[in-house]
């Protein structure tokens, strides 16, 4: 596909985290960029500040005329948009080049050395660590992130185009458009069963992805997964393994055993064994790429994290408020492990907003177990995202499955008052829906109350 003749790019669903990273990339390349999204957010505001024309009402009349020339405009859409979206249909019916987000990523990465991060959990953090390590070691890298990096306050790291780092997204099999030089698989837990039907189909698709590697490519897999590759793990017999873990002032210090030697006294500031695992695979891929040990250790120590991934909003002796994107039972378990490891013996209030009716239904029993681990639990209504309601699948239905003394359903408008009444020393907000929009209000109310 030839992008040379295109001088403008129009995005349908431009506010999505993955979409907005590609939009930023094209802005940086000097193209005219515009798009539609359903809602105004911090992400769309930041894009508008870059000169991107965005509207929020679905109507062809709202599209700027500079995007209406099929010869010069490329159209990119997110699979989260419905097939009968008026603007999408207009472009499809009028001879425009219309690509899914994953297809355009596939095109961008074709002409570079591509490192792809796949897995049902850990993609965004791993990608952002990997992008940061390469950037700090002066690699000419472009990294497309599925979250806002705290180091760069952006979902795009742009330092050249020789190497690309991308999230390989299994949702609707998007990652099969990529052909990476290096790829890793962090996890293969059942998810997106609305797309795959059952877990065996998901595993089959990961196997297909592993076959997309370029000749002489390298595949890295979390130890224990049913796919062959260079293994990594924590305190085990993997090719790359974390050993001698210590927690010093809330940060990890550890050694890394590699196939050819060892890195000693490596420091990493993100809590949770899941994050330690993400740091390890980013290190392993960077080492195999040929980057020097001392620079990598220094770069890892300076990594600050991704917004909404165990993000501290308040951290005092009396009160800790953490926000996290976890939306799958395994991710909730990981957040629970991290918070208990960092704050043993302290009472934890968790506020969870379920994401998607289908996911809530498919994993109701697992959600019930993972959510019951917290001392107090508030459930918000299910965030529907792309879905219509399902008969009988509600937060009340989920709440009844959770065996817990201190649990209740809370409406969003009553949330702050309910939190303040609890007087909990550790507060967590968890979920992938619009709970992220409540964080600043909760932080403000807690800051005033304490």
């Amino acid at each position: 596909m030839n992008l040379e003749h295109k001088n403008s790019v129009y995005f349908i669903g431009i506010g999505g985290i993955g979409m907005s990273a590609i939009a930023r990339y094209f802005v940086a390349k000097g193209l005219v960029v515009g798009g539609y999204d359903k809602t105004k957010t911090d992400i769309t505001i930041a894009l508008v500040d870059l000169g991107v024309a965005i509207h929020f009402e679905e109507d062809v009349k709202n599209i700027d005329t500079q995007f209406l020339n099929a010869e010069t405009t490329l159209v990119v859409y997110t699979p989260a948009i419905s097939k009968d979206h008026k603007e999408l249909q207009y472009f499809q019916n009028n001879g425009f080049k219309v690509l899914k987000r994953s297809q355009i990523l596939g095109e961008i990465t074709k002409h570079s050395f591509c490192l792809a991060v796949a897995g049902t959990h850990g993609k965004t953090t791993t990608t952002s660590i990997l992008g940061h390590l390469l950037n700090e070691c002066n690699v000419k890298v472009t990294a497309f992130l599925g979250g806002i990096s705290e180091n760069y306050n952006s979902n795009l790291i742009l330092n050249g185009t020789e190497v690309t780092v991308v999230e390989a997204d299994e949702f609707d099999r998007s990652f099969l458009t990529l052909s990476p030089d290096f790829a890793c698989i962090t996890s293969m837990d059942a998810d997106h069963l609305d797309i795959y039907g059952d877990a065996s189909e998901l595993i089959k698709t990961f196997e297909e992805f592993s076959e997309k590697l370029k000749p002489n490519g390298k595949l890295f897999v979390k130890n224990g997964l049913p796919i062959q590759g260079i293994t990594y793990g924590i305190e085990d017999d993997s090719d790359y393994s974390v050993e001698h873990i210590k927690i010093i002032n809330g940060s990890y210090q550890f050694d890394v055993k590699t196939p050819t030697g060892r890195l000693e006294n490596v420091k990493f500031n993100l809590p949770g064994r899941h994050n330690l695992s993400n740091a390890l695979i980013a290190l392993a891929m960077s080492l195999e790429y040929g980057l020097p040990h001392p620079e990598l250790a220094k770069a890892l120590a300076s990594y600050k994290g991704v917004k909404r991934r165990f993000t501290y909003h308040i951290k005092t002796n009396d009160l800790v408020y953490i926000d996290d994107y976890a939306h799958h039972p395994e991710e909730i378990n990981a957040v629970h492990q991290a918070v208990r490891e960092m704050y043993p013996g302290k009472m934890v209030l968790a506020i969870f907003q379920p994401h998607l009716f289908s996911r809530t239904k498919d994993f109701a029993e697992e959600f019930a177990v993972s959510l019951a681990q917290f001392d107090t639990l508030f459930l918000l209504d299910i965030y529907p995202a792309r879905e219509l309601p399902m008969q009988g699948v509600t937060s009340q239905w989920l709440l009844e499955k959770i065996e817990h003394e201190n649990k209740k359903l809370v409406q969003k408008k009553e949330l702050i008052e309910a939190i303040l009444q609890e007087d909990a020393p550790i507060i967590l907000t968890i979920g992938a829906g619009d709970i992220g929009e409540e964080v600043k209000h909760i932080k403000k109310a807690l800051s005033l109350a304490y």
Side-chain angles (χ1 to χ4, degrees):
M1 187 190 77
N2 190 351
L3 296 180
E4 294 304 309
H5 304 302
K6 307 295 181 188
N7 57 24
S8 58
V9 192
Y10 188 83
F11 290 83
I12 303 172
I14 196 166
I17 196 76
M19 291 282 277
S20 57
I22 302 170
R24 282 175 176 274
Y25 171 80
F26 281 117
V27 169
K29 297 283 265 184
L31 278 75
V32 179
V33 177
Y36 156 86
D37 207 273
K38 198 165 50 175
T39 21
K40 186 184 272 196
T41 61
D42 291 346
I43 288 173
T44 60
I45 290 165
L47 286 172
V48 169
D49 289 345
L50 288 176
V52 177
I54 301 177
H55 62 266
F56 301 94
E57 207 172 302
E58 178 188 334
D59 196 327
V60 177
K61 289 205 295 281
N62 293 328
I63 301 171
D64 199 294
T65 52
Q66 64 193 334
F67 300 109
L68 296 178
N69 181 339
E71 292 301 307
T72 57
T73 298
L74 170 70
V75 179
V76 182
Y77 72 99
T78 167
I81 288 285
S82 77
K83 289 181 176 62
D84 54 7
H85 190 281
K86 290 181 197 133
E87 297 182 18
L88 178 61
Q89 287 194 330
Y90 169 82
F91 287 119
Q92 285 173 332
N93 296 337
N94 285 280
F96 284 78
K97 186 85 184 167
V98 180
L99 296 178
K100 255 194 223 177
R101 178 178 68 91
S102 56
Q103 291 172 304
I104 192 69
L105 262 187
E107 287 301 323
I108 292 167
T109 57
K110 242 180 215 166
H111 311 292
S112 66
F113 190 96
C114 174
L115 297 99
V117 178
T120 41
H121 325 295
K123 284 190 294 293
T124 298
T125 302
T126 304
T127 307
S128 76
I129 299 170
L130 186 53
H132 177 65
L133 296 182
L134 296 176
N135 188 58
E136 287 290 293
C137 292
N138 288 317
V139 174
K140 301 284 178 246
V141 64
T142 300
F144 296 93
L145 313 179
I148 304 294
S149 157
E150 298 279 9
N151 287 79
Y152 305 91
N153 198 28
S154 176
N155 51 354
L156 181 73
I157 301 170
L158 191 55
N159 187 35
T161 53
E162 286 171 21
V163 176
T164 46
V165 176
V166 295
E167 286 190 31
D169 191 359
E170 76 283 357
F171 173 70
D172 87 340
R173 299 178 170 84
S174 287
F175 59 3
L176 298 181
T177 58
L178 299 171
S179 45
D181 295 88
F182 284 10
C184 74
I185 300 175
T186 64
S187 46
M188 285 167 29
D189 292 305
D191 199 4
H192 304 302
L193 298 185
D194 53 326
I195 304 283
Y196 287 97
D198 65 46
S200 66
E201 275 303 307
L202 182 72
I203 289 167
K204 224 183 281 177
T205 309
F206 273 105
E207 286 167 351
E208 260 182 83
F209 168 70
S210 72
E211 289 156 13
K212 294 279 174 187
L213 281 174
K214 287 180 190 152
N216 304 319
K218 291 183 182 180
L219 180 69
F220 301 76
V221 293
K222 181 80 179 283
N223 200 2
L225 293 181
I227 288 183
Q228 292 297 306
I230 298 166
T231 55
Y232 72 98
I234 293 179
E235 294 176 327
D236 61 14
D237 60 352
S238 302
D239 299 315
Y240 284 86
S241 177
V242 166
E243 296 179 340
H244 309 134
I245 302 166
K246 298 193 279 276
I247 295 175
I248 299 168
N249 298 329
S251 297
Y252 286 117
Q253 197 167 306
F254 54 94
D255 298 342
V256 177
K257 174 183 77 73
T258 77
T260 56
R262 160 179 304 276
L263 279 75
E264 294 187 334
N265 295 325
V266 181
K267 191 178 174 212
F268 184 59
N269 294 314
L270 261 60
R273 292 289 173 112
H274 61 302
N275 282 322
L276 200 50
S277 180
N278 296 334
L280 174 63
I281 181 52
L283 272 177
M285 292 173 89
S286 302
L287 287 164
E288 293 278 341
Y289 182 72
L291 298 179
H293 294 193
E295 280 89 335
L296 282 174
K298 190 178 168 205
L300 189 66
S302 70
Y303 176 75
K304 294 179 187 168
V306 178
K307 285 188 175 149
R308 300 221 61 230
R309 303 303 193 281
F310 213 90
T311 301
Y312 284 98
H313 287 277
I314 298 174
K315 193 178 185 182
T316 67
N317 291 334
D318 303 320
L319 178 68
V320 172
Y321 171 36
I322 296 160
D323 176 51
D324 195 277
Y325 185 75
H327 54 284
H328 182 283
E330 286 302 323
E331 293 166 351
I332 293 168
N333 288 337
V335 169
H336 177 261
Q337 183 278 324
V339 83
R340 295 296 187 198
E341 187 174 54
M342 291 298 156
Y343 303 102
K346 290 213 170 181
M347 202 273 269
V348 180
L349 161 65
I351 299 126
F352 178 57
Q353 180 189 46
H355 184 261
L356 298 177
F357 296 102
S358 59
R359 187 182 281 121
T360 307
K361 175 174 163 283
D362 290 337
F363 300 106
E365 306 305 326
E366 292 87 343
F367 275 125
V369 173
S370 63
L371 291 166
Q373 298 174 99
F374 300 102
D375 301 297
T376 305
L377 175 69
F378 292 172
L379 269 195
L380 299 178
D381 285 331
I382 297 170
Y383 183 76
R386 55 186 178 269
E387 292 184 338
L388 294 169
M390 284 184 176
Q391 183 77 39
V393 180
T394 63
S395 284
Q396 181 60 46
W397 170 77
L398 177 60
L399 191 76
E400 285 163 15
K401 291 183 174 292
I402 301 167
E403 291 181 21
H404 205 301
E405 294 289 306
N406 304 317
K407 60 174 185 179
K408 65 176 176 181
L409 200 60
V410 178
Q411 295 305 308
K412 224 186 287 172
K413 59 180 185 295
E414 296 155 5
L415 180 58
I416 287 172
E417 193 183 326
I419 291 170
L420 294 175
Q421 281 174 359
E422 285 299 321
D423 201 25
I426 314 286
I427 297 166
L428 294 173
T429 41
I430 317 171
D434 60 3
I435 189 169
E437 298 297 311
E438 300 302 310
V439 170
K440 49 185 177 261
H441 307 304
I442 295 168
K443 180 181 178 178
K444 186 178 174 187
L446 287 169
S447 301
L448 291 171
Y450 285 79

